[in-house]
Amino acid sequence: MRLSRGVTTWSDRVYDAGVVIFAGWTVAYHVCLVARLGVPWAWAIAAVCLVGWWLLHRRLYDTSESRGAEPAERAAPPPARPTTAAADDPPVPARTCRTPLRRQWTVLLTVAAAVLTAFAMAFSAPWWLVWPTWLLAAAAGAVTAWRWLRAAGRSPVPAYAETPAARWSPVVVLAWAVAMAAVSLWTLTPNPDDLFYINLSQWVASHGTFPIRDTVFSNLAYPIANWPPLASYDGLVGAVAGLLGVRAASVAYLLVPPVGSFLAVLALWRLLRAWRIRYPVTSLSVALVFMLVARDSWYGLPGDLFVTRMWQGKVLLLCLLVPWLLVHLARYADSPDRRRLVMLFTGGIAGVGLTTTAMFLVPVVAIAGAAPLARRSVRGAVLGCLACAAYPLGAIVTTKATGGYSADLFDTRRLYRFDAEWVGHLVFASGPIAFVAVASLLAGCLLVPRMSARLTTALLAGAFGIVLVPGVIRFAYDVTGLGPTLWRISWGCSIAALVGVVLVRLGSAVPGPRRVVLTGTIVVTTAALVASGRPITSSADWAAPFHWQRGRWDRQMADRVLAEVRPGGVVLAPRDLAITIAIATTSVKTVAPRDYYMDYLRDDPTFHFHQRMTLWRFASSAAGWPPYRDQEIRQALAKVPVTMACVLSYAPRRAQALLRLGMTPALQNDQYRCFWNHRPPGEAGSASAIGVTTLSADPSDREDGA
């Protein structure tokens, strides 16, 4: 038992330390952006921030020790038996609110509305049946949770005795963590979003500075695609890559996924323990199985935002920081003190450092997490909410004040993303997976043992329910600029954790031998989810460990192209190959790695937007190309200098067109054919015309892989 507690305590401390360290780096990164300082300064400032944080935390700890425990902690007698509570949670008696069912009409309303909503989502019913019942279930659940919280008095947290099997819990959890880390090394799921972020990281690795202007199409000649670049995670990846002497993509693809996946399991386990689940390891196992099969053709299901995309900052926010915030908000709501305020403020900083999504997600989580404290202290609830949301709100103010913008065209591209029904099925899909997820999310507020967490869960479900109301997304975009990305409010709900809680608690509530019932629940649930979902083994590509998250032919041809093209060259290539080149180096540019990433520069006459689009359509298509259209490419090449042009191998007419334009064969593999474009020296359309200045060879840009 002592070993079990030791492993648990140290895993929590390491987890906390990781969040604090990253928050310190985020502050240092933002200071360096403003003062235009390089990576060495960032390391030094981060070290100063960490020392200052430790001194402050230590002082607050000593002050709280000298003054004694908080009144809520002193009022609670110690438990008669050992509990699964973390070391810094106040001991409280195992007292819960038990009210006759006939008086709990809101419970029946919550369950009925949740089941109806789950059925409507699973069978893709008309949307007017979904969002009203969703809001009804969330509202009834919030009322129920508030009534129970008030009736529970000063002891809203039940303490459960550990079962004999609990001593082996860390072993099972660590086994799951190692397994998920291994899975992250084998999966191959290329994602085009990496274009901007890893390219920026590569600039940091190669130059030792944090760019505030474009590095995809030029060397700081154009405005950056996403402004302001507040996420410090990409800078950290580049700084670590520069420190190790490798490419940034090697750090992002080879180091972050196993570490992030390992910590994601510990984060989920910690959240379940903070909720006071009687069987946290069983709930954890069910939640992980759910995420391994909850995948579809959409990209917003819980399984699509887990180990298969763990290298991205927004996925790290979902899997690592949101559970951490929910844990510390629950602790603060039950026993507020200044140390926990500092931790909440630290979490808000770390969220902004991971992704700009934190600017609206963290405040929502903060409001829901601090709301239970309003029962006893409105002032304390407001302080907790402000401490957690202060840095994200400051980021919003900074973004608005500096004219922030995104490369994505929400108002002209893929307008179906404004449709509330599309958003709902984006997150939950349909079928049995949708039924389990929606029912668990809406009914979870009744089954989470920790009273404060029940109210938080209901409020977060209601917040996402508002997003599902038709017209809300469009209205939010017109007023604030936040549009389709609002679907990420669902990340605060911890859907997978609630699935584990609901299924295990329902199984343990069935009369009979509890162990047999629990085992049966796990087996039946696993079989049903695997049968109805798309397991990761069937919906993800696989490759030997320690590979980049890029296609084999893309990576092979990119390496060959970079070995031939000198720094300052420009490559015309189809999208996947162009993205691979862009994340591998910043010394060789591509004409158009992704079409909509260029739109914000369409009015810049030196960018030659229309010519780039013409070349992008030519290289990315496999359709026929009549000779009379050669003049279009010739005119575009006169404006945009191209050193090497690549087309798809199964597009022979495109290759013939390049030959007719005077290009000569250079490289070929099963996916691509590349040609040299020989241009007389000094001809119009030189590299300097598009802001590409020739760079000297950079070892970190030229070396291969890790």
Side-chain angles (χ1 to χ4, degrees):
M1 189 69 68
R2 182 176 298 177
L3 177 62
S4 173
R5 287 183 177 277
V7 172
T8 301
T9 300
W10 277 104
S11 67
D12 291 349
R13 289 178 178 177
V14 170
Y15 188 15
D16 285 339
V19 174
V20 171
I21 291 172
F22 183 72
W25 166 264
T26 300
V27 173
Y29 169 80
H30 290 160
V31 170
C32 290
L33 280 185
V34 175
R36 304 307 303 134
L37 301 175
V39 171
W41 279 99
W43 290 122
I45 296 173
V48 172
C49 291
L50 294 177
V51 172
W53 185 95
W54 183 84
L55 292 175
L56 174 62
H57 189 267
R58 189 66 185 176
R59 179 180 179 182
L60 293 177
Y61 179 81
D62 293 339
T63 303
S64 63
E65 287 291 314
S66 63
R67 293 181 178 178
E70 293 291 329
E73 297 184 21
R74 293 199 303 267
R81 296 177 295 179
T83 68
T84 56
D88 56 349
D89 275 331
V92 291
R95 182 163 69 86
T96 59
C97 172
R98 298 188 181 277
T99 307
L101 186 61
R102 58 185 172 81
R103 296 179 55 188
Q104 296 294 336
W105 60 269
T106 55
V107 175
L108 301 179
L109 182 60
T110 301
V111 173
V115 172
L116 179 60
T117 306
F119 271 114
M121 185 72 74
F123 290 98
S124 299
W127 197 246
W128 58 266
L129 288 176
V130 177
W131 67 267
T133 54
W134 183 296
L135 292 178
L136 179 62
V143 172
T144 303
W146 181 259
R147 292 174 61 187
W148 286 354
L149 189 63
R150 292 182 61 187
R154 301 178 66 86
S155 303
V157 188
Y160 289 135
E162 289 185 349
T163 60
R167 70 184 61 183
W168 301 106
S169 296
V171 176
V172 178
V173 172
L174 291 177
W176 269 116
V178 172
M180 293 300 98
V183 169
S184 71
L185 289 174
W186 284 89
T187 57
L188 176 61
T189 51
N191 191 280
D193 289 347
D194 297 344
L195 163 64
F196 171 79
Y197 303 105
I198 298 184
N199 177 270
L200 187 148
S201 299
Q202 182 58 40
W203 179 277
V204 176
S206 301
H207 299 83
T209 60
F210 302 110
I212 59 174
R213 293 183 65 81
D214 168 65
T215 61
V216 175
F217 301 105
S218 67
N219 293 335
L220 311 180
Y222 300 122
I224 199 168
N226 295 293
W227 174 263
L230 292 176
S232 66
Y233 168 73
D234 309 303
L236 179 60
V237 170
V240 172
L243 195 64
L244 299 178
V246 300
R247 284 179 177 173
S250 296
V251 174
Y253 292 143
L254 308 184
L255 178 61
V256 175
V259 174
S261 300
F262 186 93
L263 293 177
V265 176
L266 299 183
L268 190 57
W269 181 45
R270 187 177 188 182
L271 177 61
L272 293 170
R273 286 187 288 112
W275 282 352
R276 297 300 191 273
I277 305 302
R278 188 183 294 272
Y279 301 100
V281 175
T282 306
S283 298
L284 171 69
S285 301
V286 174
L288 290 175
V289 170
F290 173 77
M291 284 195 289
L292 289 176
V293 300
R295 308 187 75 239
D296 208 329
S297 56
W298 307 92
Y299 60 83
L301 271 70
D304 292 314
L305 297 166
F306 190 41
V307 294
T308 56
R309 293 178 66 180
M310 191 58 72
W311 65 87
Q312 295 182 333
K314 54 192 173 187
V315 178
L316 293 174
L317 172 73
L318 166 62
C319 297
L320 298 183
L321 192 66
V322 167
W324 190 90
L325 288 174
L326 291 175
V327 169
H328 286 276
L329 283 166
R331 290 177 176 173
Y332 177 80
D334 290 332
S335 181
D337 62 28
R338 288 180 294 178
R339 286 186 299 131
R340 292 191 171 98
L341 281 175
V342 172
M343 293 299 288
L344 293 178
F345 182 71
T346 303
I349 297 174
V352 174
L354 286 172
T355 171
T356 53
T357 298
M359 291 193 298
F360 64 86
L361 177 60
V362 171
V364 172
V365 174
I367 294 172
L373 181 58
R375 175 183 60 89
R376 292 181 286 129
S377 172
V378 174
R379 177 177 178 274
V382 172
L383 285 177
C385 179
L386 290 179
C388 187
Y391 212 84
L393 293 177
I396 293 177
V397 172
T398 301
T399 301
K400 288 293 185 180
T402 59
Y405 57 85
S406 170
D408 205 343
L409 306 175
F410 293 118
D411 55 349
T412 60
R413 193 180 74 93
R414 297 165 58 188
L415 296 181
Y416 57 82
R417 294 181 294 177
F418 286 96
D419 181 41
E421 182 175 1
W422 180 87
V423 170
H425 290 294
L426 168 71
V427 178
F428 299 103
S430 58
I433 293 291
F435 179 84
V436 171
V438 173
S440 299
L441 173 57
L442 295 177
C445 61
L446 305 178
L447 297 175
V448 173
R450 192 164 193 158
M451 290 294 180
S452 58
R454 289 180 176 180
L455 180 59
T456 297
T457 300
L459 292 176
L460 288 173
F464 184 59
I466 295 174
V467 176
L468 299 180
V469 177
V472 167
I473 298 177
R474 185 75 218 194
F475 176 78
Y477 179 77
D478 293 337
V479 174
T480 66
L482 290 174
T485 52
L486 285 177
W487 71 269
R488 295 176 185 173
I489 289 179
S490 63
W491 294 359
C493 300
S494 296
I495 298 171
L498 290 173
V499 169
V501 170
V502 171
L503 293 179
V504 172
R505 291 214 67 187
L506 290 178
S508 61
V510 178
R514 186 163 292 172
R515 182 173 298 178
V516 175
V517 173
L518 279 176
T519 304
T521 301
I522 295 173
V523 172
V524 172
T525 302
T526 302
L529 291 176
V530 171
S532 60
R534 294 182 60 193
I536 192 173
T537 54
S538 63
S539 54
D541 295 327
W542 297 86
F546 305 110
H547 58 269
W548 283 17
Q549 295 294 330
R550 304 302 306 166
R552 178 165 65 106
W553 299 118
D554 300 327
R555 179 71 197 280
Q556 181 193 82
M557 183 55 76
D559 287 340
R560 295 178 63 185
V561 167
L562 294 181
E564 297 291 335
V565 178
R566 296 180 178 180
V570 179
V571 177
L572 170 64
R575 190 191 73 165
D576 291 340
L577 176 58
I579 291 176
T580 306
I581 294 173
I583 67 175
T585 183
T586 57
S587 61
V588 173
K589 307 299 180 181
T590 57
V591 172
R594 202 172 182 184
D595 57 343
Y596 80 87
Y597 254 63
M598 302 188 298
D599 192 81
Y600 78 104
L601 294 172
R602 66 164 56 240
D603 296 328
D604 191 321
T606 65
F607 185 70
H608 306 299
F609 170 79
H610 297 289
Q611 288 78 10
R612 285 179 182 266
M613 286 299 300
T614 298
L615 294 174
W616 182 83
R617 296 190 187 99
F618 172 83
S620 299
S621 175
W625 184 264
Y628 67 83
R629 298 189 62 184
D630 290 352
Q631 185 61 24
E632 298 178 30
I633 305 303
R634 183 176 288 106
Q635 293 175 352
L637 291 174
K639 295 291 185 179
V640 182
V642 170
T643 307
M644 180 179 289
C646 301
V647 294
L648 299 167
S649 293
Y650 47 87
R653 294 190 178 182
R654 307 273 165 159
Q656 294 171 4
L658 295 179
L659 292 174
R660 290 195 299 269
L661 292 171
M663 298 190 184
T664 57
L667 305 170
Q668 182 174 354
N669 64 10
D670 289 352
Q671 187 74 18
Y672 302 104
R673 296 178 64 184
C674 298
F675 300 81
W676 288 110
N677 180 30
H678 298 289
R679 184 180 296 277
E683 187 174 337
S686 63
S688 59
I690 63 166
V692 181
T693 58
T694 303
L695 302 175
S696 59
D698 191 323
S700 62
D701 269 350
R702 305 298 296 183
E703 74 173 12
D704 180 25

